[in-house]
Amino acid sequence: MTAVSRPTPRPSPETSHFWEACQEGRFLLPKCADCGSHWFPPSGFCPECWSRNWEWEHASGLGLLHTFVIFRRQYHPAFEPPYAVGVVHLKEGPRMLSRIVTEDIDKLRVGMALKLTWDRSGDWMIPAFQVL
Amino acid sequence: MAHQKVAAEMTNPNRALRGKYAIVGVGQSDLGQVPGFSSLGLLNKAMHNAVEDAGLAKTDVNGIICRGPDDVYTHHQRMGELLGIDAEFSTTLDNGGASQILSIILAVMAIDAGLCDVVLCGYGRDSWSRTHRDTSTRMSVPLVPPEQERAEFNAEVGMFGAVAMHALGASRHMALYGTSKDDLGSIAVAFREHALRNPSAQMKQPLTLEKYHSGRQIVDPFNVYDCSLVTDGAGAVVVCSAERAKDLKQPPVLISGFGTFNNLRGWYYDEHMTDTAARRSGEKAFSMAGIQPEDIDTAQLYDCFTYMVLTQLEDYGFCKKGEGGPFAASGALALDGSLPCNTSGGQLSEGHVEGMLQILEGVRQLRHAYQSERQVTNAEWALVSGHGGNTVCHSSLILQRGGG
């Protein structure tokens, strides 16, 4: 059996800096210099006030588990079930999809406090979240 | 609630269109495992049947609006070629499961604008044949299609498929409101009971709540019975003016209300998973039709998954937010319940044709086309819903029995 590798990130011109920072262990979010909003996924304009005046900011890596699912059926040969995927409500405001890393998958609950960890996949560092 | 007040005070600008147009013909292909037909072939058959049902001829049709299938470019052009029709107005829509009602709305708009008179709307897909027709196909088709493998911020964390996307919503609803697996199961059981009365339905075996709970888990909290079917099938309708409908073969079914709303900021944004675009789409449709949820005699709701029915029951105002579970579990969705729902079996048990069959069933119920064991008694008003496009697009249709 040849091991099938996981799908790797497919950075776009707007997201490549986010992924480059991830490879150095830095978790960045775009932050609007005019209205103060953070957003995700990264894009060239603030989706709240449409400002073009924004910068990358180090995010806290803290969040809450907005909701989650547990894959019981194997969809992809590189992802062995069971595993959890959740929507993380980041402390800065945006929400992002993430692997939820936990020792006991059956104890996951909506609303749990989470913190950033790194999921190494081949040459990539992918943001993931673990129960705080 | 502020939004309800605003909706009530607003004079719906579409009211001038209320009841001005009608669905005069419906048609479908065989459903389920239908070898020997491509997506286009299935839709061709459904469109032929719809025009014949209306008592119209090919030469009467001068508009074609299609949805997909996903991999056929400019689909309406292919259909026009197969049907042998040059059209005054034609296009293909891309709003997922919300497209089929949207095609009817667009047909009304196009006719009202004087662009055409008689429009064929339809959708078909050879979904079962593509992936399940024989062992080698089953073995060779990847569970994760290439476009999902490339989806940034999804594939690299192991997020695949519509089941998981909708399961995220169900999981949150369960946490916020105490919705249970019994509640979800009661929806699957109710629709299966309806399918058993429908000879064309794909599912032929009874489903009990006990059997539901024994279903193979796919993505928690969904098991196989929470998920709609893989279906070869197509459906089509004919839309024209209510005036013209008077002279046609079938009792006309009037298009009395419609609405759309699209939560394009995403499924994860705000409370979009548990307060879906059905709410504002429905408010517009009810406002246009000038009726309330309690006036609806039968609801044909987009049931790609059990949970989507549950949240729509709340979002359309058939019960309060958070009470969709107990409402469904009370038996309300049965043929003799307070809101007979998906009376042909729905996508969970009749067949998944992206909402097209829901429209057909709404029309047939209002025609009083069935014997008593399938007929909603004295059905006057039907609500039909469409949902899709990565879970955030919604369209609503309110139909009224005409000719009264």
Side-chain angles (χ1 to χ4, degrees), chain B residues 348-364:
Chain B
L348 292 167
S349 283
E350 181 188 26
H352 187 138
V353 187
E354 268 207 10
M356 208 63 229
L357 300 179
Q358 268 85 350
I359 301 170
L360 270 54
E361 177 66 5
V363 169
R364 288 168 177 153

Side-chain angles (χ1 to χ4, degrees), chain A residues 76-98:
Chain A
H76 192 283
F79 285 93
E80 191 71 35
Y83 65 94
V85 176
V87 176
V88 181
H89 187 156
L90 299 170
K91 189 181 175 189
E92 288 78 7
R95 292 179 186 157
M96 71 181 292
L97 209 56
S98 171

Side-chain angles (χ1 to χ4, degrees), chain B residues 39-48 66 75 79 122-124 234-236:
Chain B
S39 298
L40 292 164
L42 291 164
L43 183 52
N44 198 4
K45 185 166 185 189
M47 286 186 154
H48 272 262
C66 296
H75 185 247
M79 284 318 302
Y123 172 80

Side-chain angles (χ1 to χ4, degrees), chain B residues 40 43 64-82 90-94:
Chain B
L40 292 164
L43 183 52
I64 298 173
I65 307 175
C66 296
R67 145 77 181 151
D70 30 0
D71 54 355
V72 180
Y73 176 62
T74 57
H75 185 247
H76 58 286
Q77 296 178 15
R78 300 292 311 282
M79 284 318 302
E81 184 182 6
L82 294 176
S90 72
T91 193
T92 297
L93 298 179
D94 180 15

Side-chain angles (χ1 to χ4, degrees), chain B residues 294-378:
Chain B
E294 54 266 32
D295 297 317
I296 294 294
D297 298 304
T298 178
Q300 309 296 334
L301 301 179
Y302 198 93
D303 58 339
C304 45
F305 300 95
T306 50
Y307 168 67
M308 279 315 298
V309 176
L310 192 148
T311 186
Q312 286 179 79
L313 292 169
E314 301 169 350
D315 297 332
Y316 275 114
F318 294 112
C319 60
K320 287 183 186 158
K321 182 48 69 183
E323 294 179 2
F327 183 81
S330 75
L333 309 184
L335 194 65
D336 59 355
S338 61
L339 184 71
C341 184
N342 292 18
T343 45
S344 59
Q347 303 186 138
L348 292 167
S349 283
E350 181 188 26
H352 187 138
V353 187
E354 268 207 10
M356 208 63 229
L357 300 179
Q358 268 85 350
I359 301 170
L360 270 54
E361 177 66 5
V363 169
R364 288 168 177 153
Q365 286 291 351
L366 297 184
R367 285 179 179 178
H368 299 174
Y370 295 124
Q371 302 294 313
S372 59
E373 70 271 13
R374 279 185 73 186
Q375 179 63 47
V376 175
T377 310
N378 299 324

Side-chain angles (χ1 to χ4, degrees), chain B residues 30-205:
Chain B
D30 292 339
L31 301 176
Q33 303 176 12
V34 192
F37 287 87
S38 65
S39 298
L40 292 164
L42 291 164
L43 183 52
N44 198 4
K45 185 166 185 189
M47 286 186 154
H48 272 262
N49 288 342
V51 174
E52 187 181 312
D53 180 65
L56 288 165
K58 159 186 164 176
T59 47
D60 294 313
V61 177
N62 58 9
I64 298 173
I65 307 175
C66 296
R67 145 77 181 151
D70 30 0
D71 54 355
V72 180
Y73 176 62
T74 57
H75 185 247
H76 58 286
Q77 296 178 15
R78 300 292 311 282
M79 284 318 302
E81 184 182 6
L82 294 176
L83 293 162
I85 292 174
D86 291 332
E88 306 276 345
F89 181 85
S90 72
T91 193
T92 297
L93 298 179
D94 180 15
N95 232 21
S99 301
Q100 322 326 329
I101 289 172
L102 189 61
S103 71
I104 292 174
I105 297 172
L106 191 57
V108 166
M109 291 162 65
I111 301 171
D112 207 65
L115 293 173
C116 51
D117 318 283
V118 176
V119 182
L120 251 179
C121 305
Y123 172 80
R125 195 172 191 272
D126 57 343
S127 300
W128 184 86
S129 291
R130 284 183 194 208
T131 52
H132 289 68
R133 68 177 175 272
D134 52 38
T135 309
S136 72
T137 305
R138 285 171 196 241
M139 298 296 283
S140 64
V141 174
L143 263 169
V144 176
E147 66 274 15
Q148 284 192 29
E149 180 113 20
R150 290 191 295 266
E152 192 184 16
F153 301 120
N154 283 267
E156 67 273 11
V157 302
M159 183 68 177
F160 306 107
V163 183
M165 196 59 89
H166 289 81
L168 285 170
S171 176
R172 181 154 177 86
H173 199 280
M174 292 166 104
L176 288 182
Y177 302 113
T179 301
S180 70
K181 281 290 286 177
D182 273 358
D183 297 336
L184 296 178
S186 71
I187 293 168
V189 168
F191 296 177
R192 182 63 60 87
E193 164 58 28
H194 294 155
L196 298 179
R197 301 163 193 239
N198 175 1
S200 354
Q202 237 173 306
M203 303 313 282
K204 307 288 188 196
Q205 300 299 318

